[in-house]
Every structure is written in C-alpha cells, then in structure tokens.
Amino acid sequence: MNLGIIGLPNVGKSTLFNAMTKAGAEATNYPFSTVEANIGAVSVPDIRLDGLARMYKPQKVTTAIVEFVDIAGLVSGAGRGEGLGNKFLSHIRQVDALVHVVRCFDDPNVAHVDGEIDPARDVETIDFELLFADMDTLEKRMGRARKLLKGDKKIEADIELYERIYKNLENGVKARRLESGFTSAERKVYDDLFLLTSKPVMYIANLSEPDVAGYAGNAKYKVLKEIADREEAGLLPLCAKIEAELSELEDDEKRLFLAEMGLENPGIDRLIAEGYSLLGLVSFLTAGPKEVRAWTITKGATASMAAGKIHSDIERGFIRAEVVAYDDLMNAGSYAAAREKAHVRSEGRDYVMRDGDVTLFRFNV
C-alpha cells in the first residue's frame, strides 16, 4: 500500500510524515519546506503476528509494509504548473491513495499560506487543482485521438468517453464518482488515463492538542466531516504534534501518554487501518519455524492469486491451500491440534481468501 500525503503548504504534512515513519523529513513552519517527495516505509501493526511468533518461535517475523510519500505542498495554479505544481502532480500519479491533511487548528506562530484557517476553502483549493490537472490530461488525449480518428470506431468511442469525463470534471465531479457507470471496455480506457481525481482519498483533520480528544465538538472538524460524508471519503482526526511526540516514546511510555490524552490508539494504527479499508485490502498469514509473515492482498483475491503474492512459481504450480482461521489456530494451541479438530481446510485455487487466514500452499513446478 502506497499512500501520498497531500495538502496545502504548512498544514502539518511533514510533521505527520516524520511521526509515521521516523524518517527525519524536514518539518518547518514556512511554506514549501518540502521540495522533493520524502518516502518512508512503515510496518503494519498486527498482533496476530505476535501470537504466531509465540507458537512457532520463528527465526524472523516479517510484517506487511505501508509506504508513505510526503508530497510537496500545493497552491492555487499548481494544475497549470505554478508553485511546485508539476512536482506535486507527478508524485500523486504514483500512489495508490491520497491522505489529504487539512489544518483544523489556530496557531499564530504557524503561518497559513492563505492567512487564515478555513478547511472548506483549503479542500476546495486542492480539489480544483486536481480537477484542472485532469482536464489538461483529457484535453491532450482528445487532441491526439482526433488526429488519429479517420473513422476508427474504437477511437470514436474513446473520444466520447473522454468528453463525458471532461464535462463532469468541468462541473466539479471527480473521476472516482463516475467509475460505477463505466462498461468493462470503458474501464480499461479510463484506467489508462491515471487521473488524479480517480485516487481514493481520506482526510486527516490535524487538530490542536487540547482539541484532539474532544474532536467531535471542534467547529473546523465538523466542516471537514460534512465534506468527507458528502464525498464518501475516509476521515481521521488526529494531532500531528502528538503523533510526533508518541513516535519518540517506548511502548510503556506510549501507553501512558495515550491514556493521559484520552486516546486509545496511536494515529499511525488508525491511519493504516483506514488505508486498508479505503483500498479494500486484507492480510493473510504464513507461519513456520523459519518465518512468520503477513501478506497484503486485495479483498476478494483467490488462493492462487495469494500464492502468486509469495512467488509466481507457487501460483503456477498451485495444487491446494491448507487454510486455518487465525482464531481457530490460537484456540487449538497448535497446527496439529487445529488439524485434529478439523479447523484446517483444503481449498482450491478459486477459494476467496479471508483476512487472517493462516495458509500453507502446496505446489509443484
């Protein structure tokens, strides 16, 4: 999973990125402190790996990984290349989903690029630039297609689709809201456009320390929630400053700090969980004396597809998958005991994997 952290300059993107990745990206209180995209990998917290590690005592434990990309701040005109627009837009095209950080706190010591805090205006600024960039992409595609037209029915259909999408973008309708109406043929053409507004999005309400525990009563958070609800987007309230402080603490200190702040879990855990939900991802597990490992797959993936996640040879030579639910395995106390209780199932290549399936693949190549 690859998540791009976006937003206006100086809303806390790099502070959040540092907290999530401990990568030491520059975080300052002036616009454009991020020029190049910063990239950091984060282990996905999964207590099931701890349980399997106690059972198997493996040589190593390997978590699933989320990659965060801290993307340069955007200003009005970026869709036409102003500010750091071209860099910003090129980095966005490479991520799976967008984490849009919106400032929901006042602080006279931290400048805002537009002078005052207004979540609705800030979201609108970013949205307009993404829409403008997508319209530019479509204009170029339509121009090339018309030169090649010459009665070609396929190109005619492509142009019709481009025009339909363009008209919706002109009216402020993001590409991702149109996807359900595409035929399978249109979807292939659409996917090849790599439109920025096709990316799934979640909003981060970056709150002050006093407001984070009682975020629901924050007026700026309420505005952002209305936007997220309208767009059917994810929304996560947190305080980037608190997350930065948490990232420096040991586990015991972290638990005490969270309790004092009235919080249950670190923001990183909630952000990753929201990202999995946003992208429709689940994890299956493999376990043995050499390694216990979590693997990320798309919800609905079959056993053979999951096998291919490990190695193409396993998918090609797939015979069967021996599957046991994590909870059943833990309750049984061992794999042998789970088998005796008939919790271990033999599944074929078309079996749809479930989150938490502990799986042994049998294959022959």
Side-chain angles (χ1 to χ4, degrees):
M1 182 166 62
N2 184 290
L3 301 176
I5 302 176
I6 68 169
L8 291 172
N10 221 30
V11 295
K13 300 188 309 299
S14 292
T15 300
L16 180 62
F17 175 83
N18 286 346
M20 298 302 179
T21 65
K22 299 185 183 179
E26 184 180 4
T28 53
N29 67 347
Y30 59 88
F32 302 117
S33 60
T34 300
V35 177
E36 298 293 340
N38 298 300
I39 301 174
V42 179
S43 295
V44 176
D46 193 335
I47 60 172
R48 296 173 300 195
L49 293 177
D50 297 333
L52 291 173
R54 288 192 296 271
M55 178 179 289
Y56 285 89
K57 297 179 175 52
Q59 296 174 17
K60 66 176 181 177
V61 176
T62 304
T63 66
I65 295 295
V66 174
E67 189 173 80
F68 286 99
V69 183
D70 178 22
I71 297 171
L74 181 67
V75 292
S76 294
R80 295 173 292 279
E82 296 180 21
L84 294 175
N86 289 333
K87 286 181 179 291
F88 175 93
L89 300 173
S90 66
H91 292 311
I92 285 184
R93 295 190 197 282
Q94 301 170 29
V95 301
D96 298 320
L98 303 178
V99 177
H100 185 169
V101 181
V102 181
R103 184 169 163 183
C104 293
F105 68 89
D106 293 297
D107 186 337
N109 297 315
V110 181
H112 188 284
V113 70
D114 288 322
E116 60 181 355
I117 312 304
D118 183 342
R121 180 208 58 216
D122 293 354
V123 169
E124 187 176 74
T125 296
I126 299 288
D127 285 350
F128 277 155
E129 299 312 318
L130 299 183
L131 287 164
F132 289 149
D134 282 350
M135 289 165 66
D136 183 60
T137 295
L138 285 163
E139 286 169 0
K140 291 175 181 175
R141 285 294 185 100
M142 286 188 285
R144 290 198 297 267
R146 285 171 180 142
K147 290 179 181 178
L148 300 172
L149 185 54
K150 298 178 182 177
D152 188 310
K153 296 296 184 183
K154 170 67 170 61
I155 296 178
E156 281 183 11
D158 290 350
I159 292 173
E160 188 279 327
L161 177 62
Y162 297 153
E163 291 175 342
R164 191 189 339 152
I165 297 172
Y166 189 93
K167 288 177 182 177
N168 277 280
L169 294 174
E170 275 190 312
N171 292 324
V173 180
K174 296 165 188 172
R176 61 179 172 270
R177 302 301 297 271
L178 308 174
E179 294 177 358
S180 61
F182 295 144
T183 65
S184 58
E186 288 175 337
R187 183 61 192 242
K188 291 179 181 178
V189 176
Y190 166 76
D191 287 343
D192 188 53
L193 292 169
F194 299 102
L195 297 177
L196 303 182
T197 61
S198 70
K199 305 284 184 183
V201 64
M202 76 170 85
Y203 293 103
I204 298 289
N206 190 10
L207 298 152
S208 66
E209 290 185 61
D211 284 343
V212 70
Y215 64 86
N218 180 282
K220 294 179 176 63
Y221 172 81
K222 290 179 180 178
V223 170
L224 190 56
K225 186 177 187 306
E226 288 179 3
I227 294 170
D229 288 347
R230 186 166 63 245
E231 296 188 13
E232 299 179 352
L235 174 61
L236 184 63
L238 55 74
C239 172
K241 185 177 179 182
I242 288 177
E243 297 304 322
E245 293 174 9
L246 278 170
S247 70
E248 302 298 325
L249 301 178
E250 299 296 331
D251 288 344
D252 289 343
E253 296 174 315
K254 193 176 293 185
R255 282 190 288 271
L256 289 172
F257 187 84
L258 285 168
E260 289 174 3
M261 297 301 299
L263 303 172
E264 293 184 8
N265 299 303
I268 179 63
D269 294 7
R270 291 178 284 135
L271 176 52
I272 291 174
E274 185 70 30
Y276 266 63
S277 176
L278 188 68
L279 291 171
L281 303 175
V282 295
S283 293
F284 74 93
L285 312 165
T286 54
K290 289 186 177 181
E291 184 183 34
V292 163
R293 182 163 181 166
W295 305 83
T296 302
I297 53 174
T298 303
K299 191 178 296 183
T302 62
S304 63
M305 293 165 64
K309 185 77 175 180
I310 300 174
H311 199 286
S312 58
D313 284 348
I314 302 178
E315 181 177 16
R316 189 171 68 252
F318 183 97
I319 298 173
R320 67 180 184 278
E322 295 179 4
V323 181
V324 55
Y326 171 81
D327 289 339
D328 288 340
L329 178 58
M330 290 297 104
N331 291 334
S334 71
Y335 191 83
R339 185 183 291 280
E340 288 179 5
K341 294 182 178 182
H343 291 321
V344 179
R345 310 183 312 276
S346 181
E347 301 287 359
R349 62 171 51 250
D350 294 329
Y351 166 72
V352 176
M353 300 291 291
R354 300 172 186 169
D355 186 55
D357 277 347
V358 182
T359 310
L360 174 64
F361 292 104
R362 301 293 185 183
F363 67 102
N364 182 33
V365 291

